[in-house]
Structure formats: structure tokens, C-alpha cells
Amino acid sequence: MSEKHWSKTELLHQTVTNPNIIVKGTHSYYSDCWDSGFERSVVRYLHGDAVSQQWPPLGPIDQLLIGDYVCIAAEAVILMGGNHTHRIDWLSLYPFMASIQAAYQPKGDTRLGDGCWIGMRAMLMPGVTIGEGAVVAAGSIVTADVEPYVIVGGNPARPIKRRFAPETTARLLALRIYDLSAEDFARVQPWLADNDIAALERAINDIKR
């Protein structure tokens, strides 16, 4: 096995084995240089790994849904559904085995939208949605959904700025860039490496003709 280096990344569609991690496309990656890889180090408490798949689930299983062209930086953490047995509405937070079934509370699926970027050592709490093209700054703790093309940071993460004006974001979302075929995406890729939304719209319209 070759030595890991920060210039190399783990392509998630090639490495993910947990059936409760759904990866769209073939471009999303994790920067795995400094740990044991995406499933072992990043995704925490998700039912369906080699050990937990032997257990009957306590209830609905939360899933991790990852879009295409998602960038996940080193040592990020995604907390999932296997740890929701600490009931804050009960007198004791302790997960007593005698009442573990009643203690379990699913938080819902966690979604990483197409083209989003999760910064180094960011932590996503269970059940959040990161919108298309959003950025989570390094070291942030995300406790609520992040809108598309918004940069968030801090603990808890709060909006810092919009990447583009709201009307530009609306135009980007309407184009459904990440639903293009691989061939069509490659044709418009030069316009994605720019900030001219009108040129991108023209390129996509030319494809549809």
C-alpha cells in the first residue's frame, strides 16, 4: 500500500461499504491523509457497519446522503443516528439498556448537497442538510441546515456570507448542474471555473438544443 499524502484523496464511491451511506456520482472525495479513512474516522454512530449490521435496529435508521462533487476536508466528523439514546426530556440522560428501545430517537437523514465543501475538522450534527454549493468553514459545528451557496462558520455555525447574490443562486439552482450527464457536465465545466452565470446558462441552453 502506498503511503498517504495530502495531495491524494479517497473517492467515496470506491470505498464506502455501509448500505446507509448513499453516494451520488463518482467525484465526491475525502482528504484521508491523516486518519483511517471516511467510514472509520469521519462517519460516527451509523448503523450498518460490519459490527452493527448484525444488530436489529432500534427504529428507523438515519442515512447519510452525499451528492456529487462534494469536498470533505481532513478530520471532519459527521455524527449519525446510532447515538440518539440520551433523552433530554427524561430525568436521567443515561442510556439504560432496560429502556433503550424507548430511548432511541432518530434525527432524520443527513444530506450533503452537490458541490458543497466541508472544511477541516468541521463537525455536522445529526439530521442536518448542507445545501448545494455551501461551504462549512474549518472547525465549525453545524447544528442546523445550511442554505445553498452560503458560507457558515463558528460554534454553532452561523451564516458568514452568501457566495453569490440571491438572484444568482436562484439561477444556479434552476440549472440543475449536477444532474447533467457526465458528458454534458464535461462540456460546461470550463464555465463552472468562472463566475459568469450568463455564460454558463448559454452553454447549458446550447446543450439542450
Side-chain angles (χ1 to χ4, degrees):
M1 181 177 177
S2 60
E3 184 178 351
K4 289 184 177 182
H5 187 265
W6 54 261
S7 64
K8 300 175 182 179
T9 56
E10 172 188 350
L11 287 173
L12 302 185
H13 75 283
Q14 294 179 344
T15 61
V16 163
T17 60
N18 189 316
N20 293 310
I21 302 176
I22 312 300
V23 181
K24 170 186 173 183
T26 60
H27 305 92
S28 294
Y29 70 80
Y30 172 60
S31 182
D32 66 335
C33 177
W34 293 281
D35 60 28
S36 299
F38 184 72
E39 277 193 86
R40 187 170 179 83
S41 299
V42 176
V43 184
R44 312 282 178 92
Y45 303 110
L46 179 60
H47 192 283
D49 60 21
V51 174
S52 64
Q53 64 184 243
Q54 317 292 331
W55 310 337
L58 295 174
I61 298 174
D62 299 336
Q63 293 188 319
L64 174 57
L65 309 174
I66 303 173
D68 207 359
Y69 294 91
V70 171
C71 309
I72 303 176
E75 299 177 325
V77 171
I78 302 173
L79 294 183
M80 292 298 299
N83 63 332
H84 305 311
T85 51
H86 304 275
R87 291 284 295 265
I88 62 174
D89 58 328
W90 287 3
L91 299 179
S92 176
L93 294 167
Y94 193 84
F96 300 106
M97 289 308 297
S99 53
I100 200 72
Q101 187 78 49
Y104 179 72
Q105 291 184 305
K107 296 289 187 178
D109 296 337
T110 297
R111 301 173 184 272
L112 309 186
D114 297 313
C116 72
W117 178 17
I118 311 301
M120 183 180 289
R121 293 187 176 173
M123 178 181 288
L124 308 186
M125 299 305 287
V128 300
T129 293
I130 310 300
E132 177 182 311
V135 178
V136 176
S140 301
I141 299 183
V142 180
T143 61
D145 293 351
V146 178
E147 294 183 14
Y149 294 95
V150 168
I151 301 171
V152 300
N155 178 15
R158 296 283 186 259
I160 296 173
K161 62 179 291 187
R162 293 182 178 274
R163 291 182 58 197
F164 309 108
E167 57 269 24
T168 301
T169 295
R171 290 163 71 182
L172 275 168
L173 293 172
L175 291 174
R176 302 183 66 87
I177 303 162
Y178 298 99
D179 290 336
L180 293 171
S181 68
E183 180 182 358
D184 288 344
F185 191 96
R187 290 173 63 184
V188 303
Q189 187 276 320
W191 287 273
L192 292 172
D194 202 335
N195 61 3
D196 188 342
I197 182 66
L200 177 61
E201 287 172 329
R202 288 194 296 271
I204 290 178
N205 287 333
D206 287 343
I207 288 173
K208 294 178 178 179
R209 289 175 185 165

